[in-house]
Amino acid sequence: MVEEYRRPVVTMEGASLTIAMVAAVAAGADTRVELDESARGRVKESSDWVMNSMANGTDSYGVTTGFGATSHRRTKEGGALQRELIRFLNAGALGTGSDGHVLPAATTRAAMLVRVNTLLQGYSGIRFEVLETIATLLNANVTPCLPLRGTITTSGDLVPLSYITGLMTGRPNSVATAPDGSKVNAAEAFKIAGIQHGFFELQPKEGLAMVNGTTVGSGLASMVLFEANILGVLAEVLSAVFCEVMNGKPEYTDHLTHKLKHHPGQIEAAAIMEHILEGSSYMMLAKKLGELDPLMKPKQDRYALRTSPQWLGPQIEVIRAATKSIEREINSVNDNPLIDAPAARLSMVATSRARPSSAEQHNQDVNSLGLISSRKTAEAIDILKLMSSTFMVALCQAIDLRHLEENVKNAVKNCVKMVARKTLSTNDNGHLNNARLCEKDLLLTIDREAVFAYADDPCSTNYPLMQKMRAVLVEHALANGEAERDMQTSVFAKLATFEQELHAVLPREVESARCAVENGTATQQNRISECRSYPLYRFVRKELRTEYLTGEKTRSPGEEVDKVFVAMNQGKHIDALLECLKEWNGEPLPIC
């Protein structure tokens, strides 16, 4: 999908358009549109059939008749009928053009591309030259302005599509957006695009062919589904990173659990998480901590962590199913009537899959609301990107806090070890003291205690670290028996000296470790560099230059989130995401 999105040229013949191709052209970057010459003959045959049938007096819907509820009316002025169709369908409101009442240019580009693809199949009675002109406008990044509202996809997106046709025919109310963002009229739009011929005089059926389709809604749906597919995979990877920073238990990704449920989305989500967590340095550390003290954590992780495949699975399946449905739609012929030129006949159809809702003088009571649905989905995607960018900043903060935690804990252990050997090892006459046996239990206590329970004042007797280390010495004193009565062999007698020495050096060592982490000179390297999820961390921290947030800095969380959000809107996160999965073969790990 991403590979298709990045192809420099989209070549269309009417049957192989994908949501990635639509999203690429909609982005208006460097993707060019080309029409496959193989379509020219069938498009011309269809157009010629309409002209010949008109000349022969054939009575055809939308060619010699009115539209919808007025289809009982007849006319012989085929061209004038099409001009009138476009005139009265230009019923939307554009506002000032900058006050939020114009469809985004990217959505309009998507609609133009999808409409051309549909018409290339040669069942709509329109000239190939019209389609070539639309492709020229796309390649020149000249985009007609369409009203944001005005369609419920009744027999297609009639009102917005009429504004594309209005530009092609030079209607005086037509407005386009130039490559520099300025607003221009139809004549200036053609000039900027380098279109040498004049405006089109619509032939019979051509106006109807341009507007009678679902292409605005399905074009926008293609764009949002491309992003939804990417964000779905991102959610799967971020769920694994969440497990890493929480020192979670990776068995929730075990393939057997999900295979027995048979749901493909759940299986995919678990397999991706399993791949990210396999060999993770965080998982190795979590396992070690669990073996150190099995009671430090619950036997099972919280639901938010261990049920993420079950939660994401149905959403992944819906995204995949919607993608297939929309790709069918953007490669379908959704015109009325359809022209079967080889068989010399018309086919009357309905263009949309729909829900109940009355429209067009009650001529239609089922309408898809396709564009409205696509717009609401686009809003949801925007919110999801905001949530994902916030989550990524939070995860990177957690990764750095784990790095800080590991370095502070290492500094505390080294300091306690040094002080213990200095104050507990020997008595005044140089002989070994039983207090030296406390060192192992003191270090074990440090391993079991959360750094952030004491980091701001490691020697405070109100915090658990000092309390528990004192308890270790007391326990050893109680076990010292008769030797405790002698000051030279007493463990308890060493307690005050041990704590005084710690008070003198431990706060300084903890602060030094904290500063080293923030300055990039930490003795313990960040574990994330050894993990498959590292590319996302590198993207957020190195490429986007987001900062580790502390109360001593002026940067706010929102400033860092905004960096990631803007980058995601530009698609810059995709490469880092795919790099996390570059070694994945698309399958779960074997069941042991």
Side-chain angles (χ1 to χ4, degrees), residues 503-555:
H503 273 281
V505 296
L506 185 56
R508 184 172 64 248
E509 292 299 317
V510 169
E511 180 63 15
S512 177
R514 185 186 68 82
C515 290
V517 169
E518 294 186 12
N519 295 333
T521 58
T523 55
Q524 300 280 111
Q525 294 304 303
N526 199 328
R527 286 184 179 272
I528 192 65
S529 62
E530 304 169 7
C531 302
R532 284 174 170 160
S533 53
Y534 175 67
L536 277 176
Y537 175 85
R538 185 191 63 215
F539 166 69
V540 174
R541 282 287 189 253
K542 309 295 184 184
E543 295 179 29
L544 301 184
R545 299 183 180 278
T546 63
E547 295 182 6
Y548 168 63
L549 296 166
T550 75
E552 298 171 343
K553 296 180 180 179
T554 59
R555 300 290 292 180

Short mmCIF file of all heavy atoms in Angstrom, two decimals, residues 503-555:
data_model
loop_
_atom_site.label_atom_id
_atom_site.label_comp_id
_atom_site.label_asym_id
_atom_site.label_seq_id
_atom_site.Cartn_x
_atom_site.Cartn_y
_atom_site.Cartn_z
N HIS A 503 24.02 9.66 54.00
CA HIS A 503 23.52 11.04 53.95
C HIS A 503 24.55 11.96 53.31
O HIS A 503 24.19 12.93 52.62
CB HIS A 503 23.21 11.54 55.37
CG HIS A 503 21.83 11.19 55.83
ND1 HIS A 503 20.71 11.89 55.44
CD2 HIS A 503 21.39 10.18 56.64
CE1 HIS A 503 19.63 11.36 56.00
NE2 HIS A 503 20.02 10.30 56.75
N ALA A 504 25.82 11.66 53.49
CA ALA A 504 26.88 12.53 52.96
C ALA A 504 27.09 12.36 51.47
O ALA A 504 27.49 13.31 50.78
CB ALA A 504 28.18 12.26 53.71
N VAL A 505 26.85 11.16 50.95
CA VAL A 505 27.22 10.91 49.54
C VAL A 505 26.05 10.54 48.62
O VAL A 505 26.10 10.82 47.42
CB VAL A 505 28.30 9.80 49.46
CG1 VAL A 505 29.58 10.25 50.14
CG2 VAL A 505 27.79 8.49 50.08
N LEU A 506 25.00 9.88 49.15
CA LEU A 506 23.95 9.36 48.27
C LEU A 506 23.18 10.44 47.50
O LEU A 506 22.99 10.30 46.28
CB LEU A 506 22.97 8.48 49.07
CG LEU A 506 21.90 7.76 48.26
CD1 LEU A 506 22.52 6.91 47.15
CD2 LEU A 506 21.01 6.90 49.16
N PRO A 507 22.73 11.53 48.12
CA PRO A 507 22.01 12.55 47.34
C PRO A 507 22.83 13.09 46.18
O PRO A 507 22.31 13.34 45.09
CB PRO A 507 21.72 13.64 48.38
CG PRO A 507 21.70 12.93 49.69
CD PRO A 507 22.75 11.87 49.56
N ARG A 508 24.12 13.26 46.41
CA ARG A 508 24.99 13.78 45.35
C ARG A 508 25.10 12.79 44.19
O ARG A 508 25.09 13.17 43.02
CB ARG A 508 26.38 14.06 45.95
CG ARG A 508 27.34 14.69 44.95
CD ARG A 508 28.64 15.15 45.61
NE ARG A 508 29.39 14.02 46.16
CZ ARG A 508 29.57 13.80 47.45
NH1 ARG A 508 29.05 14.63 48.35
NH2 ARG A 508 30.26 12.76 47.89
N GLU A 509 25.18 11.49 44.52
CA GLU A 509 25.28 10.46 43.48
C GLU A 509 23.99 10.36 42.66
O GLU A 509 24.03 10.18 41.45
CB GLU A 509 25.61 9.11 44.12
CG GLU A 509 27.00 9.02 44.72
CD GLU A 509 28.08 9.23 43.67
OE1 GLU A 509 27.96 8.68 42.56
OE2 GLU A 509 29.05 9.96 43.96
N VAL A 510 22.87 10.47 43.34
CA VAL A 510 21.59 10.41 42.63
C VAL A 510 21.43 11.60 41.69
O VAL A 510 21.04 11.46 40.53
CB VAL A 510 20.42 10.37 43.64
CG1 VAL A 510 19.08 10.59 42.92
CG2 VAL A 510 20.40 9.04 44.37
N GLU A 511 21.77 12.79 42.15
CA GLU A 511 21.68 13.98 41.32
C GLU A 511 22.64 13.90 40.15
O GLU A 511 22.31 14.31 39.02
CB GLU A 511 21.97 15.22 42.16
CG GLU A 511 21.92 16.55 41.40
CD GLU A 511 20.55 16.85 40.83
OE1 GLU A 511 19.55 16.21 41.22
OE2 GLU A 511 20.47 17.74 39.96
N SER A 512 23.82 13.36 40.41
CA SER A 512 24.81 13.21 39.34
C SER A 512 24.30 12.25 38.26
O SER A 512 24.48 12.51 37.06
CB SER A 512 26.12 12.69 39.93
OG SER A 512 27.07 12.47 38.91
N ALA A 513 23.65 11.18 38.68
CA ALA A 513 23.10 10.22 37.71
C ALA A 513 21.99 10.87 36.89
O ALA A 513 21.90 10.67 35.67
CB ALA A 513 22.57 8.99 38.44
N ARG A 514 21.15 11.66 37.54
CA ARG A 514 20.06 12.34 36.84
C ARG A 514 20.60 13.31 35.80
O ARG A 514 20.13 13.34 34.65
CB ARG A 514 19.17 13.08 37.84
CG ARG A 514 17.94 13.72 37.22
CD ARG A 514 17.18 14.56 38.23
NE ARG A 514 17.93 15.74 38.61
CZ ARG A 514 17.97 16.87 37.89
NH1 ARG A 514 17.32 16.95 36.74
NH2 ARG A 514 18.67 17.91 38.31
N CYS A 515 21.59 14.08 36.18
CA CYS A 515 22.19 15.06 35.26
C CYS A 515 22.86 14.35 34.09
O CYS A 515 22.80 14.83 32.95
CB CYS A 515 23.19 15.93 36.00
SG CYS A 515 22.43 17.07 37.18
N ALA A 516 23.51 13.23 34.36
CA ALA A 516 24.20 12.49 33.30
C ALA A 516 23.20 11.99 32.26
O ALA A 516 23.47 12.04 31.05
CB ALA A 516 24.97 11.31 33.90
N VAL A 517 22.03 11.53 32.73
CA VAL A 517 21.00 11.07 31.80
C VAL A 517 20.52 12.23 30.93
O VAL A 517 20.40 12.12 29.70
CB VAL A 517 19.82 10.44 32.56
CG1 VAL A 517 18.64 10.21 31.63
CG2 VAL A 517 20.25 9.13 33.20
N GLU A 518 20.24 13.37 31.54
CA GLU A 518 19.72 14.51 30.79
C GLU A 518 20.77 15.12 29.87
O GLU A 518 20.42 15.70 28.83
CB GLU A 518 19.20 15.57 31.77
CG GLU A 518 17.99 15.11 32.56
CD GLU A 518 17.38 16.20 33.41
OE1 GLU A 518 17.77 17.37 33.23
OE2 GLU A 518 16.52 15.89 34.25
N ASN A 519 22.06 14.94 30.21
CA ASN A 519 23.13 15.49 29.37
C ASN A 519 23.62 14.51 28.31
O ASN A 519 24.50 14.83 27.51
CB ASN A 519 24.32 15.92 30.25
CG ASN A 519 23.96 17.07 31.17
OD1 ASN A 519 23.09 17.86 30.86
ND2 ASN A 519 24.65 17.15 32.31
N GLY A 520 23.07 13.29 28.35
CA GLY A 520 23.47 12.29 27.36
C GLY A 520 24.77 11.58 27.68
O GLY A 520 25.39 11.01 26.78
N THR A 521 25.20 11.59 28.94
CA THR A 521 26.46 10.95 29.33
C THR A 521 26.23 9.84 30.35
O THR A 521 27.10 9.52 31.14
CB THR A 521 27.43 11.99 29.92
OG1 THR A 521 26.80 12.63 31.06
CG2 THR A 521 27.81 13.04 28.89
N ALA A 522 25.05 9.24 30.35
CA ALA A 522 24.70 8.21 31.33
C ALA A 522 25.58 6.98 31.18
O ALA A 522 26.01 6.63 30.06
CB ALA A 522 23.24 7.82 31.17
N THR A 523 25.86 6.34 32.29
CA THR A 523 26.68 5.12 32.26
C THR A 523 25.91 3.95 31.67
O THR A 523 26.48 3.10 31.01
CB THR A 523 27.17 4.76 33.68
OG1 THR A 523 26.02 4.65 34.54
CG2 THR A 523 28.09 5.84 34.22
N GLN A 524 24.61 3.90 31.92
CA GLN A 524 23.75 2.84 31.36
C GLN A 524 23.06 3.40 30.12
O GLN A 524 22.37 4.40 30.18
CB GLN A 524 22.70 2.42 32.38
CG GLN A 524 23.26 1.88 33.69
CD GLN A 524 23.69 0.45 33.56
OE1 GLN A 524 24.89 0.17 33.61
NE2 GLN A 524 22.76 -0.45 33.41
N GLN A 525 23.25 2.75 28.98
CA GLN A 525 22.64 3.22 27.75
C GLN A 525 21.13 2.92 27.75
O GLN A 525 20.66 2.01 28.43
CB GLN A 525 23.30 2.56 26.55
CG GLN A 525 24.75 2.96 26.35
CD GLN A 525 24.92 4.48 26.23
OE1 GLN A 525 24.32 5.11 25.37
NE2 GLN A 525 25.73 5.06 27.10
N ASN A 526 20.39 3.69 26.96
CA ASN A 526 18.94 3.53 26.89
C ASN A 526 18.60 2.19 26.24
O ASN A 526 19.03 1.91 25.12
CB ASN A 526 18.33 4.68 26.08
CG ASN A 526 16.85 4.84 26.34
OD1 ASN A 526 16.14 3.88 26.61
ND2 ASN A 526 16.38 6.08 26.28
N ARG A 527 17.81 1.38 26.92
CA ARG A 527 17.48 0.05 26.42
C ARG A 527 16.71 0.07 25.10
O ARG A 527 16.73 -0.91 24.35
CB ARG A 527 16.62 -0.70 27.46
CG ARG A 527 17.39 -1.17 28.66
CD ARG A 527 16.51 -1.98 29.61
NE ARG A 527 17.31 -2.43 30.74
CZ ARG A 527 18.01 -3.55 30.75
NH1 ARG A 527 17.99 -4.34 29.69
NH2 ARG A 527 18.72 -3.88 31.81
N ILE A 528 16.05 1.16 24.82
CA ILE A 528 15.23 1.20 23.61
C ILE A 528 16.06 0.98 22.35
O ILE A 528 15.56 0.48 21.34
CB ILE A 528 14.46 2.54 23.52
CG1 ILE A 528 13.38 2.50 22.43
CG2 ILE A 528 15.41 3.71 23.28
CD1 ILE A 528 12.27 1.52 22.70
N SER A 529 17.33 1.33 22.40
CA SER A 529 18.19 1.18 21.22
C SER A 529 18.40 -0.29 20.85
O SER A 529 18.83 -0.60 19.74
CB SER A 529 19.55 1.85 21.47
OG SER A 529 20.21 1.24 22.56
N GLU A 530 18.08 -1.20 21.77
CA GLU A 530 18.24 -2.62 21.52
C GLU A 530 16.92 -3.29 21.13
O GLU A 530 16.85 -4.51 21.06
CB GLU A 530 18.79 -3.31 22.78
CG GLU A 530 20.11 -2.72 23.28
CD GLU A 530 20.47 -3.23 24.66
OE1 GLU A 530 19.76 -4.14 25.16
OE2 GLU A 530 21.44 -2.73 25.24
N CYS A 531 15.88 -2.48 20.87
CA CYS A 531 14.54 -3.02 20.63
C CYS A 531 14.07 -2.74 19.21
O CYS A 531 14.53 -1.80 18.56
CB CYS A 531 13.55 -2.41 21.62
SG CYS A 531 13.97 -2.70 23.34
N ARG A 532 13.16 -3.56 18.72
CA ARG A 532 12.61 -3.37 17.38
C ARG A 532 11.75 -2.11 17.29
O ARG A 532 11.48 -1.62 16.20
CB ARG A 532 11.79 -4.60 16.99
CG ARG A 532 12.66 -5.79 16.60
CD ARG A 532 11.84 -7.03 16.35
NE ARG A 532 12.66 -8.09 15.76
CZ ARG A 532 12.37 -9.38 15.78
NH1 ARG A 532 11.24 -9.78 16.37
NH2 ARG A 532 13.17 -10.26 15.22
N SER A 533 11.31 -1.61 18.43
CA SER A 533 10.50 -0.40 18.43
C SER A 533 11.34 0.88 18.38
O SER A 533 10.78 1.98 18.33
CB SER A 533 9.61 -0.37 19.69
OG SER A 533 10.39 -0.56 20.86
N TYR A 534 12.66 0.72 18.36
CA TYR A 534 13.54 1.89 18.41
C TYR A 534 13.29 2.90 17.28
O TYR A 534 13.37 4.11 17.52
CB TYR A 534 15.01 1.45 18.39
CG TYR A 534 15.97 2.61 18.31
CD1 TYR A 534 16.11 3.51 19.37
CD2 TYR A 534 16.75 2.83 17.17
CE1 TYR A 534 16.98 4.58 19.31
CE2 TYR A 534 17.63 3.89 17.09
CZ TYR A 534 17.74 4.77 18.16
OH TYR A 534 18.60 5.83 18.09
N PRO A 535 13.00 2.49 16.04
CA PRO A 535 12.80 3.49 14.97
C PRO A 535 11.74 4.54 15.31
O PRO A 535 11.89 5.71 14.94
CB PRO A 535 12.40 2.64 13.77
CG PRO A 535 13.08 1.34 14.00
CD PRO A 535 13.01 1.12 15.48
N LEU A 536 10.67 4.16 16.01
CA LEU A 536 9.65 5.15 16.38
C LEU A 536 10.17 6.12 17.43
O LEU A 536 9.90 7.32 17.37
CB LEU A 536 8.39 4.45 16.89
CG LEU A 536 7.42 3.94 15.82
CD1 LEU A 536 6.27 3.18 16.46
CD2 LEU A 536 6.88 5.08 14.97
N TYR A 537 10.94 5.59 18.39
CA TYR A 537 11.55 6.47 19.40
C TYR A 537 12.52 7.43 18.72
O TYR A 537 12.53 8.63 19.02
CB TYR A 537 12.29 5.62 20.43
CG TYR A 537 13.05 6.43 21.46
CD1 TYR A 537 12.42 6.92 22.60
CD2 TYR A 537 14.41 6.72 21.29
CE1 TYR A 537 13.12 7.68 23.54
CE2 TYR A 537 15.11 7.48 22.21
CZ TYR A 537 14.46 7.95 23.34
OH TYR A 537 15.16 8.70 24.25
N ARG A 538 13.32 6.92 17.80
CA ARG A 538 14.28 7.77 17.09
C ARG A 538 13.57 8.84 16.28
O ARG A 538 14.00 10.00 16.23
CB ARG A 538 15.13 6.88 16.15
CG ARG A 538 16.26 7.61 15.42
CD ARG A 538 16.84 6.71 14.35
NE ARG A 538 15.85 6.39 13.34
CZ ARG A 538 15.79 5.23 12.71
NH1 ARG A 538 16.63 4.25 13.00
NH2 ARG A 538 14.85 5.02 11.79
N PHE A 539 12.45 8.46 15.67
CA PHE A 539 11.66 9.41 14.89
C PHE A 539 11.19 10.57 15.77
O PHE A 539 11.33 11.75 15.41
CB PHE A 539 10.47 8.69 14.26
CG PHE A 539 9.41 9.60 13.71
CD1 PHE A 539 9.65 10.37 12.58
CD2 PHE A 539 8.16 9.69 14.32
CE1 PHE A 539 8.67 11.21 12.07
CE2 PHE A 539 7.18 10.52 13.82
CZ PHE A 539 7.43 11.28 12.69
N VAL A 540 10.64 10.25 16.94
CA VAL A 540 10.09 11.28 17.81
C VAL A 540 11.19 12.12 18.46
O VAL A 540 11.12 13.35 18.50
CB VAL A 540 9.19 10.65 18.90
CG1 VAL A 540 8.71 11.69 19.90
CG2 VAL A 540 7.99 9.96 18.25
N ARG A 541 12.23 11.46 18.95
CA ARG A 541 13.25 12.16 19.72
C ARG A 541 14.35 12.78 18.85
O ARG A 541 14.75 13.93 19.07
CB ARG A 541 13.90 11.20 20.73
CG ARG A 541 13.05 10.96 21.97
CD ARG A 541 13.08 12.19 22.87
NE ARG A 541 12.47 11.94 24.16
CZ ARG A 541 11.29 12.39 24.54
NH1 ARG A 541 10.56 13.12 23.71
NH2 ARG A 541 10.82 12.14 25.75
N LYS A 542 14.83 12.04 17.85
CA LYS A 542 15.96 12.52 17.05
C LYS A 542 15.52 13.34 15.85
O LYS A 542 15.99 14.45 15.62
CB LYS A 542 16.81 11.33 16.58
CG LYS A 542 17.21 10.35 17.68
CD LYS A 542 18.14 10.99 18.70
CE LYS A 542 18.59 9.94 19.73
NZ LYS A 542 19.40 10.53 20.80
N GLU A 543 14.60 12.76 15.06
CA GLU A 543 14.19 13.44 13.83
C GLU A 543 13.33 14.67 14.11
O GLU A 543 13.51 15.71 13.47
CB GLU A 543 13.45 12.46 12.92
CG GLU A 543 14.33 11.31 12.42
CD GLU A 543 13.56 10.34 11.54
OE1 GLU A 543 12.59 10.76 10.88
OE2 GLU A 543 13.93 9.15 11.53
N LEU A 544 12.40 14.54 15.03
CA LEU A 544 11.51 15.66 15.33
C LEU A 544 12.03 16.54 16.45
O LEU A 544 11.46 17.60 16.73
CB LEU A 544 10.11 15.15 15.68
CG LEU A 544 9.41 14.31 14.61
CD1 LEU A 544 8.01 13.94 15.06
CD2 LEU A 544 9.36 15.05 13.28
N ARG A 545 13.09 16.10 17.10
CA ARG A 545 13.76 16.86 18.16
C ARG A 545 12.81 17.23 19.31
O ARG A 545 12.82 18.35 19.82
CB ARG A 545 14.42 18.13 17.59
CG ARG A 545 15.50 17.83 16.56
CD ARG A 545 16.16 19.11 16.08
NE ARG A 545 17.21 18.83 15.10
CZ ARG A 545 18.46 18.46 15.39
NH1 ARG A 545 18.81 18.33 16.66
NH2 ARG A 545 19.35 18.24 14.45
N THR A 546 11.97 16.29 19.68
CA THR A 546 11.16 16.52 20.87
C THR A 546 12.04 16.35 22.10
O THR A 546 13.04 15.65 22.06
CB THR A 546 9.98 15.55 20.95
OG1 THR A 546 10.47 14.21 21.08
CG2 THR A 546 9.09 15.65 19.72
N GLU A 547 11.65 16.99 23.18
CA GLU A 547 12.49 17.01 24.38
C GLU A 547 11.90 16.14 25.48
O GLU A 547 10.68 15.96 25.57
CB GLU A 547 12.64 18.44 24.90
CG GLU A 547 13.38 19.38 23.96
CD GLU A 547 13.53 20.77 24.56
OE1 GLU A 547 13.16 20.96 25.74
OE2 GLU A 547 14.02 21.67 23.85
N TYR A 548 12.79 15.63 26.32
CA TYR A 548 12.39 14.99 27.56
C TYR A 548 11.84 16.09 28.47
O TYR A 548 12.50 17.09 28.72
CB TYR A 548 13.62 14.30 28.17
CG TYR A 548 13.47 13.83 29.59
CD1 TYR A 548 12.53 12.87 29.93
CD2 TYR A 548 14.28 14.35 30.60
CE1 TYR A 548 12.40 12.43 31.23
CE2 TYR A 548 14.17 13.92 31.91
CZ TYR A 548 13.23 12.96 32.22
OH TYR A 548 13.11 12.53 33.52
N LEU A 549 10.63 15.92 28.93
CA LEU A 549 9.94 16.97 29.66
C LEU A 549 10.23 16.91 31.16
O LEU A 549 10.11 15.85 31.78
CB LEU A 549 8.43 16.86 29.43
CG LEU A 549 7.96 17.08 28.00
CD1 LEU A 549 6.53 16.61 27.81
CD2 LEU A 549 8.10 18.55 27.61
N THR A 550 10.64 18.03 31.72
CA THR A 550 10.84 18.15 33.16
C THR A 550 10.32 19.50 33.62
O THR A 550 10.13 20.42 32.81
CB THR A 550 12.33 18.04 33.55
OG1 THR A 550 12.99 19.27 33.21
CG2 THR A 550 13.02 16.88 32.85
N GLY A 551 10.10 19.63 34.90
CA GLY A 551 9.64 20.90 35.45
C GLY A 551 10.69 21.99 35.40
O GLY A 551 10.38 23.18 35.62
N GLU A 552 11.94 21.61 35.11
CA GLU A 552 13.02 22.59 35.05
C GLU A 552 13.15 23.23 33.67
O GLU A 552 13.95 24.13 33.47
CB GLU A 552 14.35 21.92 35.43
CG GLU A 552 14.35 21.37 36.86
CD GLU A 552 15.57 20.52 37.13
OE1 GLU A 552 16.23 20.11 36.15
OE2 GLU A 552 15.88 20.28 38.30
N LYS A 553 12.34 22.73 32.69
CA LYS A 553 12.40 23.27 31.34
C LYS A 553 11.12 24.02 31.03
O LYS A 553 10.08 23.81 31.65
CB LYS A 553 12.62 22.14 30.33
CG LYS A 553 13.96 21.42 30.50
CD LYS A 553 14.11 20.31 29.48
CE LYS A 553 15.43 19.58 29.63
NZ LYS A 553 15.59 18.48 28.65
N THR A 554 11.20 24.90 30.06
CA THR A 554 10.04 25.73 29.72
C THR A 554 9.11 25.05 28.72
O THR A 554 7.97 25.49 28.53
CB THR A 554 10.49 27.08 29.12
OG1 THR A 554 11.28 26.83 27.94
CG2 THR A 554 11.34 27.84 30.14
N ARG A 555 9.57 23.99 28.07
CA ARG A 555 8.74 23.34 27.05
C ARG A 555 7.52 22.70 27.69
O ARG A 555 7.60 22.02 28.70
CB ARG A 555 9.54 22.25 26.32
CG ARG A 555 10.78 22.74 25.60
CD ARG A 555 10.45 23.58 24.40
NE ARG A 555 9.82 22.82 23.33
CZ ARG A 555 9.45 23.34 22.17
NH1 ARG A 555 9.64 24.63 21.94
NH2 ARG A 555 8.90 22.60 21.25
#
